[in-house]
Every structure is written in structure tokens, then in C-alpha cells.
Amino acid sequence: MIVATVILVAAYFFIITEKINRAIVSLLGAGLLVLLGVLNFELVVQGIDFNTIFLLTGMMVIVAITKESGVFQFVAIYTAKLVKANPRLLLIALAVVTALFSALLDNVTTVLLVVPVTLLLTDQLKLRAYPFLFSQIFASNIGGTATLIGDPPNILIGSAVGLSFMDFVEWVSPIAILVLVVCLFIFDFIWGRKMTAAEEDKQAMMQYNAFEAIEDKVLLTKSLITLALVLFGFIYGHGQGWEPGTIALTGAAFLLLLHTLGGKPEEQSHAVHSAFNQVEWETIFFFLGLFVLVSGVEHTGLLKIIAGKLLGITGTNVELAGMIVLYASAVLSSIVDNIPFVATMIPLLKAMQTDLGGPQAIEPLWWCLSLGACLGGNGTLIGASANVMVASFSERAGQRISFMQFLKLSFPLMMLTTVISSLFAYIVYF
Amino acid sequence: MPCKDAMIDKVISLTPDLTIEEALAILEAERIRTAPVLSKDNTLLGMFGFMSVMKKVLPVSVTMADGLEHLDFARGAKPDIANRLKDLKAKTVDCAMDEKPIVLSPDLSVWEGILKLTKHGSPLPVVESQTNTFLGILTEQSAITELEQITSGSS
């Protein structure tokens, strides 16, 4: 147990401090657990949640191909024209678009697609980009909270506990929408209502032709068909025992087939290679290593000991446990990577479930964990990968976002969203 | 054969304090596309050319890494781009020059020099590695001329 604990603590230290790349840390830690005899190879394979790995990889391939069609830029520009290039409405509209994208795509991909368009639009309207980027960070994390596939913590929770796409839609989406609406009012009050743009700049933007942003109409059709089938699979498949990972990876293969059909062998190979190249392998390998690390600690019984200590605090009070999970995960996720946190919390909560009344009784705890871990990412500029990506874009565009400037508004706002979530949880879940 | 044998050492250069309008006039008058920007002690500060200006008139959302790849939807942006060029002309060369150009060392083989020309375009500055002192430029023409002289010499 001591070996596994030391390795896990060291791994977490390096992941949190970001001194060494997180994928390297997790793989090295996993390798040490096996080499030092804590786990054997069979336990390693059992410890890896392949459903999560397949779901992440499959969705990354689908998004990589779909984005080539230009559909995401089309939606952003079309929305900007829909609000007549009015800056106040644009601030709200782009945040809503970000949240919608983020509910279906991972957050980093979402901001990679939306932020360059935002910088172009704010440049055209001669507006400061910061309010738009701030609101999009919040929208991407809130949107990601709303669905099973929106944010990795949800994928982890859904897969480990067997919660379906529709379970998330039913139990988490409403609170995500409520929290988004509250944030949009606040953004409008702070920035939106004071925003103005010159008439000639607005007219220039109104001349944009959103349909020109679509680069490949045939690919767009194929991608939308695939996305619709995959979503149908997520909704319908749970009852059939289809894992989301299977659906996503089969969907990816189906879209690759449609994308390459009729092409020469070398063209097919190039297209497949290009799509696979865009999979974030760093994230995938990080997950693989992390699953093994957590499995090692679980196997040694350490998590059961921690679960016992936690039960000493909460007793059999599920409401109290839920509030502790929600607030602790929100605050911790605003400082550290929420993925290892959630990956550790899952077996921990499972170890507590018998004392708290069984799987049914602790279901609210999973929603609390999801809400805390996903919304907590808004707390600081390093709270989520998407935040770091937006900050990097902003810096490249010559508009640096400072950590403290962001923190002054982000942390209180994140805490407000957590308080709203806890009230919602208290009324609806318990 | 090293790059220093194939480079041109007498080149038109610019200083960082020239206005972009003045620099563009020099490039046009000398019928060249790009010129090195040098300090008083002949250190290479960057490269400036028509391409540098074109990059600057585009929105930063396009020119930055991972930025937009297409702008075909941005109709009606023509007056805006024209205004950007007008504003840019009043600024100095150091605002638009490429501050981290690909450089060649004088002892680099011409094969490697030609490979870099095909990858990064022409011309490429040749500088002393330690001091960054400007020595000359390797261009498509200067490389080919040098190769032709070798074959004509050997035959």
C-alpha cells in the first residue's frame, strides 16, 4: 500500500505543479506500479476504462473530420449576423453558441473553433475581446457540464456508474442552463450594456457571407448525418446495453468510411491518417496511465481507508455528503486538473455507497461531483484546459489576460454558480 | 561547398527606424521583395518585405498560430484592409519585420541551404552564429549561379 500511495502522491504532485507533462507522469507512475509488483498486467487491463477511452477517441475523430466542413465557423458568423452585429447581443449570442458546441464537443475543441472567429468579429467591430473571451470560458465549462460527452469528468462518471446520455440531460442539463442564464445576465450587466460599435463597422460585418464559411457541403452533410446517428445511439443505445464508447468509435469509423469512399487507396490512407493525427493522444495516454494509477491505489485498499474517514464525517447523511462533494470538487477543480480528481473520487464514492444506502441512494452524489468538477473549472485561468487555451489565444492576439484580473471575477462567479447548483441539488436531487 | 560561397554579400539593407512607407519605396526602387533589417553594428534584427506588410494588414485572428484558415466569408472587408495598410505605412519597419527569420550559418553546406530555401522561401540571411553579424543572403539565383559555375569549371 505504501508503494502505491507514494507513487500516486508523487504523480499528483507532478500533475498539479505541471513540472512534467501529465501524460508522461501518469504513464511512468502506471509503469512503476506494475514493475514494483503492486499490479499485474491483468489488473492493469481491468483497471482501464476502455469505454471512456473509446468515447474520447471516437468523438475526437468525428469532430476532426466535421470541423473541416467549416460548419462551426458558419454557425458563429451566422449568429453574429442574426443579432445584426449588435455588440451587446453578440456577447450573449456567442456565449450561447459556445455553450451549445461545448455540450457536444470537448471544451478545448470548442474554444479552438470559436475564439479565432470571436477575435475576428471583435477586431471588425473594434471592441475589446476580453469580455467575449471571459464569457466564452464560462460558457464552454457550463456547456460541457450539461451532457455526458461535454466534459471528461462526465464521461468518467457516466462510464463508471452506468449513467446514460439522457440521465445527464434530465439531471444536469437544467441546472447548466439555469447557471448559464444567470452568468449571461451578469456579463450583460458588467460589459454588454455599455458596448457600442460604429455603424460602418457593423455594416461591414453584415456583409459577411456566412455560407462562404462552409468549405465542403458534401462533407457537412456526411458529418451531420453521422453526428445525428451518434446522438441517436447515445439516447437509444443505453436501453440496448450499447456503451457510449462503442457508439462513438463506430460513428467515427462510419464517418471515415463516408469521407473516404470512392477515393484511391493512398487518398483514403491520407484522410484516415490526417483524422487520427488530430486525436489528442496526450489526453488519451494520460487517461490510460491515470486509470492504472487509481486502480493501483484502489487495489491496495487505500481508498477504502479514506472512504471510512469520510464516512466518519458525513455519517449516513447523503445530503451532507453531497454538499461536501459539490463544494470540495468545485474549489479543488478550480486549482487542479479535475480529471485525476474525479478519477480518484469515483472509486472513493463507490467504496462509501454501501454505508450510504446503496447505488440508488448515492446517485445524487454523482451529479454533485459532475457539477462541482465541471463548474469548478471556471474558478481560475488554469482551472480547465479550455481556459488556458483561450488565454494563449488572447496573448497571441496581443491582448494578454492576467491571472489576477481573471480571478477577481471568475472565482466569485464560480462560487455563485456552485451555490446555485447546491440549492438546485438540495431541492431536486435529495 | 559552404553557403558563404553561394551568398550575395553586397545587399540592400534597411534600418529599423525607417517608416514602412519609406522601406516599401526602397524595395520598389531596387526591385527586390525582401531586405535584411540591420543595426548600426551590422547585427541582423529581422527581415522585412512585401510579405511582412501583407501579414500585418490581415487580422491577427488569421495570422496567429491555430487561427482562422479561410476568410472567404469576410466580404465587405476591403475598405478595412485598405485602411489598415494606410495606418501601417506611418509606422516603423521594426513593427512589421519578421524578428525571428530562418538564418543560415556561413559554413552550412549549400545542399542544406537549398533545402531551407525550398522550405522557407528566398532570400535567407547568412549570419555569424555567435554574434548574429550579418554576412549576406542566399537566394534561389545565387545558389543556382554558384552550382552552374562549379559544373562549368569542372567541365
Side-chain angles (χ1 to χ4, degrees):
Chain A
M1 190 196 291
I2 294 168
V3 175
T5 309
V6 168
I7 292 174
L8 187 80
V9 169
Y12 272 39
F13 171 78
F14 286 114
I15 290 170
I16 291 166
T17 55
E18 296 178 3
K19 296 270 182 209
I20 304 174
N21 177 282
R22 62 180 188 167
I24 298 173
V25 173
S26 75
L27 285 176
L28 207 57
L32 283 174
L33 282 179
V34 179
L35 293 175
L36 296 174
V38 178
L39 290 175
N40 60 31
F41 194 73
E42 271 180 27
L43 287 170
V44 166
V45 175
Q46 279 173 24
I48 295 171
D49 180 355
F50 285 101
N51 184 32
T52 294
I53 300 291
F54 291 165
L55 180 52
L56 282 168
T57 316
M59 289 310 291
M60 283 174 187
V61 171
I62 292 171
V63 172
I65 299 172
T66 305
K67 75 178 182 190
E68 282 177 30
S69 69
V71 63
F72 300 111
Q73 281 168 15
F74 161 78
V75 174
I77 294 161
Y78 190 82
T79 308
K81 289 190 69 175
L82 209 61
V83 297
K84 309 272 185 230
N86 177 318
R88 184 176 184 178
L89 294 176
L90 189 64
L91 179 73
I92 305 295
L94 286 179
V96 171
V97 166
T98 308
L100 284 174
F101 283 172
S102 181
L104 298 174
L105 320 173
D106 81 89
N107 298 354
V108 173
T109 309
T110 302
V111 298
L112 262 171
L113 294 166
V114 177
V115 169
V117 184
T118 303
L119 289 171
L120 178 72
L121 297 178
T122 51
D123 193 6
Q124 178 76 73
L125 293 174
K126 299 186 177 62
L127 295 169
R128 202 162 62 98
Y130 180 70
F132 290 84
L133 301 182
F134 189 102
S135 65
Q136 284 169 14
I137 285 176
F138 264 70
S140 74
N141 288 317
I142 295 169
T145 314
T147 66
L148 169 74
I149 54 171
D151 212 356
N154 285 1
I155 297 177
L156 282 169
I157 295 166
S159 179
V161 188
L163 299 167
S164 72
F165 187 85
M166 290 312 288
D167 285 335
F168 275 87
V169 170
E170 188 180 347
W171 294 103
V172 188
S173 296
I175 178 66
I177 293 168
L178 176 66
V179 161
L180 179 67
V181 170
V182 171
C183 287
L184 292 179
F185 270 110
I186 292 170
F187 298 145
D188 183 63
F189 180 77
I190 299 173
W191 296 302
R193 65 195 175 102
K194 299 170 198 162
M195 281 181 181
T196 52
E199 206 51 44
E200 57 180 29
D201 293 326
K202 286 201 264 184
Q203 278 171 10
M205 189 191 288
M206 288 309 288
Q207 286 184 50
Y208 282 15
N209 185 347
F211 290 93
E212 290 282 352
I214 295 174
E215 296 297 324
D216 188 338
K217 284 180 184 159
V218 178
L219 181 61
L220 173 65
T221 312
K222 291 171 181 172
S223 303
L224 291 182
I225 289 171
T226 307
L227 275 172
L229 285 172
V230 167
L231 277 180
F232 176 76
F234 287 150
I235 295 165
Y236 174 76
H238 189 67
Q240 309 299 313
W242 300 346
E243 293 288 354
T246 314
I247 295 162
L249 211 50
T250 310
F254 177 68
L255 183 54
L256 279 169
L257 175 73
L258 293 182
H259 187 36
T260 57
L261 208 61
K264 293 175 188 165
E266 59 269 26
E267 287 169 351
Q268 288 193 26
S269 179
H270 181 261
V272 173
H273 197 258
S274 163
F276 285 163
N277 250 345
Q278 293 180 65
V279 171
E280 291 163 45
W281 292 111
E282 184 209 326
T283 306
I284 302 296
F285 281 107
F286 169 57
F287 268 92
L288 283 172
L290 188 65
F291 283 135
V292 180
L293 275 175
V294 175
S295 170
V297 182
E298 193 184 358
H299 184 67
T300 57
L302 176 69
L303 286 179
K304 276 194 179 154
I305 295 172
I306 300 173
K309 301 270 183 209
L310 278 177
L311 280 166
I313 301 169
T314 63
T316 53
N317 187 338
V318 182
E319 286 93 335
L320 178 62
M323 291 304 135
I324 290 174
V325 167
L326 178 59
Y327 280 94
S329 49
V331 173
L332 282 170
S333 296
S334 70
I335 308 160
V336 300
D337 194 340
N338 59 12
I339 296 169
F341 173 73
V342 170
T344 317
M345 282 301 287
I346 288 170
L348 192 68
L349 291 180
K350 277 188 172 177
M352 293 167 70
Q353 74 182 10
T354 315
D355 293 285
L356 288 172
Q360 202 70 32
I362 69 155
E363 196 176 301
L365 299 192
W366 301 119
W367 305 130
C368 289
L369 179 61
S370 159
L371 285 167
C374 297
L375 295 177
N378 278 326
T380 69
L381 201 52
I382 53 161
S385 306
N387 310 10
V388 178
M389 182 61 75
V390 173
S392 155
F393 264 126
S394 193
E395 187 152 7
R396 275 178 256 166
Q399 302 187 45
R400 188 174 169 273
I401 301 176
S402 88
F403 185 86
M404 289 310 290
Q405 175 197 16
F406 185 84
L407 186 74
K408 276 179 194 163
L409 181 60
S410 69
F411 200 81
L413 205 49
M414 182 277 290
M415 286 310 294
L416 175 68
T417 63
T418 310
V419 170
I420 295 170
S421 301
S422 65
L423 290 174
F424 182 91
Y426 191 75
I427 295 164
V428 179
Y429 298 158
F430 299 109
Chain B
M1 182 181 58
C3 275
K4 64 184 172 195
D5 291 348
M7 73 182 187
I8 303 167
D9 53 6
K10 286 183 182 138
V11 297
I12 304 295
S13 65
L14 304 169
T15 54
D17 52 350
L18 281 173
T19 65
I20 289 174
E21 186 163 20
E22 289 167 338
L24 288 176
I26 293 170
L27 295 182
E28 256 179 71
E30 300 291 339
R31 302 176 72 83
I32 52 175
R33 286 170 295 169
T34 309
V37 182
L38 304 179
S39 68
K40 283 175 186 162
D41 61 354
N42 215 35
T43 303
L44 180 72
L45 300 173
M47 296 291 281
F48 176 87
F50 289 107
M51 189 62 83
S52 322
V53 175
M54 285 212 278
K55 280 182 185 168
K56 279 286 171 185
V57 295
L58 282 171
V60 70
S61 48
V62 181
T63 51
M64 67 184 182
D66 293 322
L68 293 171
E69 289 180 9
H70 303 280
L71 274 178
D72 39 4
F73 55 82
R75 293 179 181 177
K78 195 173 153 190
D80 205 34
I81 291 182
N83 284 333
R84 281 168 188 265
L85 179 61
K86 192 178 159 196
D87 295 342
L88 191 65
K89 276 183 169 180
K91 293 183 178 169
T92 49
V93 164
D94 56 350
C95 298
M97 68 184 182
D98 177 5
E99 289 174 347
K100 289 179 184 169
I102 301 291
V103 296
L104 308 173
S105 73
D107 298 322
L108 197 74
S109 79
V110 167
W111 273 49
E112 179 69 10
I114 292 173
L115 180 65
K116 286 198 189 279
L117 282 175
T118 59
K119 277 187 181 172
H120 305 290
S122 174
L124 291 177
V126 182
V127 296
E128 284 287 0
S129 310
Q130 300 294 321
T131 59
N132 211 31
T133 304
F134 178 77
L135 301 172
I137 54 171
L138 185 72
T139 70
E140 294 145 341
Q141 293 97 325
S142 72
I144 288 174
T145 306
E146 180 63 19
L147 295 177
E148 282 173 346
Q149 280 176 0
I150 291 169
T151 48
S152 62
S154 62
S155 61

